[in-house]
Amino acid sequence: MNYEILIIGSDANAYYMARCYHELTGKKADVLAKSPLPYTTYSSILNIAYDPSIWQEEGFLKALADYRKTHSGRPILLISSNESYAELIAANRERLQKQGFVFNYPDAAVARSLMMKEEFYKQYADSCLDLPVTCYFDCKNQDSVDFSLPYPVIVKPSNVIQYNHLSFEGKNKIYKVDSQDELNRVISLIKAGGYTDTLIVQEFIPGDDSYLFDAVAYVDSSHRVRLLSFAQIGLQEHSRNMVGNAAVLINGYNQFGHTHEVEAKMKQFLEEIGYSGFAEFDLKYDPRDQKFKVLEINARQGRSSYYLTALGENLVQVLAEDLIDRKVREYRFLNDRVLLSFVPKKVALRYIVNEDYKREVKKLWHGHIDPVRYKEDRNFMRKIYLLKKRFRYVKEYQNSYWKVI
């Protein structure tokens, strides 16, 4: 093997990327994180170090420079597990490349146009993508709320990075709001919590969780899309800080049709904006006009993107072949069927409301995958943690704040 690997972060995303590396090479990945999270703390397949300063640019760059000094020689494949680190990598591209780090992220301007939701919806309003009807509220300069959208509406931060740094009572990742009074209360809550940027106020597209879709693309260093998946979600996470993330999805399954139409639009979009690296599309099918509306695009692999590995495309191998081996691959649309679930079968079958989808889950369950459950990771404390997590999922869905429809 002619490279080393450094993964930044300690969440589920970081864990399954380390898993990809272990599955590919049988070796432990090096992981650098700001603070411990159970997904990576209790693991025998990775080496993890903590540095609380890496959340800021100066500390981040120093930590990577120090790592480079102790790992001289071979190139280091650098992988981020969240937007904050991906932005820092993109903003310091030349400096990191000179130090021998190799990575594939879009340039800072393109990354920002996707990460900052206000910029995304405004800049790409006339693109080939279909987008939800969207309004904006400036928390710093606006006092009154005046929107013509019918309720319910979705409220979420434009500046995800700033929002993720905040902690306050009542903080949700996404808010579903049913009235003007509730909207006023939510905006006041977020402003009081310290958020000073724009809020996105968006139409709620009707439909339960099975109207949601996940797509993962890989765009190589020559800005050509080489891989693309399209998976129907049956159940999303319902906890306050995780709603919007897939809990159960099936790749190669789509009850609403138009698969190749939306495939072509995503591929065209990424190549037109000069994107590079992994990208994850969050979409929702709108039964009113039969279009797949793009809710957001993450400028990295997503929390559930491990299913590409189950489809024969190990995510670390994809990066290494492009960036290290300079191998050019033909475009592949991943339409084989695979079931991914973070939740136990009992939770999936109880809370998926789409009966046809539920039958497909039953059919595929025997061969399903869970990104954070890996038989080669034999740490006893990790097994205890995962067992407790299964029970927590039962309680989380029982006490869910999220209104399904």
Side-chain angles (χ1 to χ4, degrees):
M1 190 186 69
N2 56 346
Y3 66 93
E4 299 186 45
I5 189 168
L6 178 62
I7 299 167
I8 313 294
S10 55
D11 58 8
N13 189 321
Y15 178 81
Y16 78 68
M17 291 303 288
R19 174 180 175 175
C20 288
Y21 182 72
H22 192 268
E23 289 179 333
L24 182 64
T25 68
K27 298 179 179 180
K28 295 182 180 183
D30 287 344
V31 178
L32 177 64
K34 178 177 75 72
S35 56
L37 287 176
Y39 288 115
T40 45
T41 301
Y42 307 120
S43 175
S44 62
I45 66 163
L46 52 88
N47 302 309
I48 191 161
Y50 300 104
D51 184 344
S53 73
I54 65 171
W55 206 237
Q56 305 299 325
E57 185 172 34
E58 183 179 351
F60 179 81
L61 293 173
K62 183 180 183 303
L64 264 60
D66 290 345
Y67 182 87
R68 172 77 274 185
K69 290 174 185 175
T70 59
H71 295 77
S72 59
R74 293 182 296 185
I76 299 169
L77 184 59
L78 186 61
I79 299 172
S80 167
S81 69
N82 64 42
E83 291 87 353
S84 296
Y85 300 132
E87 183 183 50
L88 290 173
I89 293 169
N92 295 277
R93 176 181 301 275
E94 291 185 8
R95 177 173 175 173
L96 293 173
Q97 287 175 336
K98 286 179 181 178
Q99 293 175 350
F101 291 99
V102 292
F103 47 85
N104 194 5
Y105 291 100
D107 66 41
V110 172
R112 180 180 174 84
S113 73
L114 302 180
M115 292 182 197
M116 306 298 287
K117 305 311 177 192
E118 181 180 10
E119 288 189 34
F120 171 66
Y121 293 116
K122 289 181 177 179
Q123 184 169 335
Y124 301 120
D126 297 322
S127 72
C128 60
L129 299 180
D130 298 301
L131 303 173
V133 177
T134 303
C135 299
Y136 310 92
F137 182 86
D138 185 341
C139 288
K140 183 178 283 187
N141 300 310
Q142 247 178 295
D143 293 318
S144 59
V145 178
D146 182 22
F147 299 118
S148 58
L149 292 177
Y151 290 92
V153 296
I154 296 296
V155 179
K156 57 187 178 182
S158 170
N159 188 336
V160 176
I161 294 175
Q162 182 194 120
Y163 191 75
N164 286 346
H165 282 68
L166 299 173
S167 178
F168 56 88
E169 187 70 27
K171 180 184 176 184
N172 296 346
K173 184 182 175 186
I174 301 170
Y175 299 80
K176 185 180 176 187
V177 174
D178 292 318
S179 68
Q180 180 75 41
D181 287 343
E182 188 179 359
L183 178 60
N184 290 333
R185 288 196 300 272
V186 166
I187 290 176
S188 296
L189 174 73
I190 294 172
K191 289 173 69 174
Y195 183 74
T196 59
D197 212 317
T198 302
L199 288 174
I200 304 299
V201 182
Q202 205 164 62
E203 66 172 340
F204 175 74
I205 298 170
D208 61 70
D209 288 355
S210 68
Y211 285 69
L212 295 166
F213 283 76
D214 178 89
V216 182
Y218 183 72
V219 189
D220 70 10
S221 46
S222 64
H223 307 289
R224 298 298 300 273
V225 176
R226 300 302 182 184
L227 292 173
L228 187 60
S229 68
F230 194 56
Q232 185 172 345
I233 294 169
L235 187 67
Q236 65 176 318
E237 300 270 356
H238 283 190
S239 62
R240 291 182 179 275
N241 65 334
M242 293 295 291
V243 68
N245 289 308
V248 179
L249 64 75
I250 303 173
N251 185 73
Y253 184 73
N254 175 9
Q255 294 174 307
F256 305 110
H258 309 285
T259 296
H260 293 299
E261 180 183 334
V262 69
E263 172 198 355
K265 287 181 178 180
M266 292 187 291
K267 187 172 184 290
Q268 176 186 339
F269 174 80
L270 291 171
E271 293 184 349
E272 284 183 346
I273 68 171
Y275 192 84
S276 60
F278 283 110
E280 184 202 34
F281 288 75
D282 292 336
L283 310 96
K284 189 169 186 180
Y285 177 75
D286 192 335
R288 299 168 299 183
D289 58 10
Q290 293 81 52
K291 292 181 178 179
F292 290 88
K293 306 291 175 66
V294 177
L295 306 179
E296 63 180 22
I297 303 174
N298 294 310
R300 52 170 175 77
Q301 71 281 356
R303 181 175 177 269
S304 57
S305 299
Y306 174 78
Y307 69 93
L308 268 69
T309 299
L311 292 165
E313 299 292 352
N314 183 296
L315 298 170
V316 170
Q317 185 174 18
V318 169
L319 285 168
E321 287 182 353
D322 179 24
L323 304 175
I324 308 294
D325 302 330
R326 297 297 176 185
K327 178 180 177 181
V328 178
R329 60 166 63 220
E330 295 296 319
Y331 170 71
R332 180 186 174 201
F333 181 64
L334 303 170
N335 57 2
D336 293 335
R337 200 159 291 191
V338 66
L339 168 65
L340 176 147
S341 179
F342 282 94
V343 301
K345 185 177 183 180
K346 175 182 176 181
V347 170
L349 297 183
R350 180 171 182 180
Y351 292 99
I352 293 172
V353 300
N354 182 321
E355 292 299 326
D356 288 337
Y357 193 101
K358 192 181 297 187
R359 280 191 285 272
E360 191 65 20
V361 168
K362 290 178 182 177
K363 188 189 307 181
L364 296 172
W365 188 264
H366 179 71
H368 88 284
I369 56 168
D370 181 337
V372 299
R373 292 180 180 275
Y374 180 35
K375 65 180 181 179
E376 297 301 322
D377 197 342
R378 299 185 175 94
N379 183 288
F380 179 74
M381 290 301 296
R382 176 175 175 76
K383 292 179 180 179
I384 296 298
Y385 164 73
L386 291 175
L387 183 62
K388 290 180 178 179
K389 181 67 176 172
R390 294 176 73 86
F391 287 108
R392 278 199 295 273
Y393 265 126
V394 174
K395 291 183 178 180
E396 283 176 8
Y397 280 90
Q398 284 176 344
N399 304 319
S400 170
Y401 90 103
W402 186 251
K403 305 155 193 172
V404 176
I405 298 179

